[in-house]
Amino acid sequence: NPSNFKNAGRMAPVEQVSWDDCQEFVRKVNARVAGGGFRLPTEAEWEYACRAGTASALNSGKELTSTTGRCLNLDEAAWYGETSGGTTHPVGERQPNVWGLYDMHGNVWEWCQDWHGEYPSGSVTDPAGPGSGSGRVGRGGGWFLSARRCRSALRLRLDPGNRSSLMGLRLA
């Protein structure tokens, strides 16, 4: 476990993993699990799962009440700068979205499969990211960020070799 934070025990999100590390982990999981097929979600899949049918800033259907300080609506679902105490927390301690997915906001950013790029113009269904680029996509916000950085639509561009206590993963 490469994580910087070990205080949250076995239920802590894994962090300190690069996109490249995630690809190696996925390869190993698929080799051990009959049928395999695990991967990082695309950016579109990640946002769809996070929003769970909502169109609001938060996957609870609520809006941010503060972008720079404590946000009581975000407190329900996320560990972020105002609530985390400077560390990650065990997954599942905050409320899930209506689809039962925990920690889509805050705790750690999550790597997506896609290269970072401009969104396609016009209406699209399940868009794929660009075929190449200089950075990969991260979504979700993190334990040290302000409330505005944990909203459903925020995206991050990072070098695929970047490792930090801010970056983790979720498998699709």
Side-chain angles (χ1 to χ4, degrees), residues 87-165:
T87 189
T88 61
H89 289 264
V91 173
E93 288 188 341
R94 298 292 199 198
Q95 293 177 1
N97 67 15
V98 297
W99 292 351
L101 300 173
Y102 289 90
D103 295 311
M104 297 298 292
H105 299 293
N107 226 356
V108 295
W109 285 95
E110 297 175 3
W111 287 106
C112 293
Q113 189 63 34
D114 302 352
W115 289 104
H116 189 276
E118 296 299 318
Y119 285 138
S121 61
S123 179
V124 294
T125 300
D126 198 18
S132 63
S134 61
R136 295 289 183 170
V137 176
R139 297 296 294 263
W143 56 268
F144 82 106
L145 293 169
S146 66
R148 70 184 167 93
R149 300 240 180 230
C150 295
R151 60 189 172 82
S152 297
L154 193 71
R155 54 201 305 248
L156 177 70
R157 181 183 88 53
L158 283 172
D159 178 274
N162 181 296
R163 286 186 184 103
S164 82
S165 62

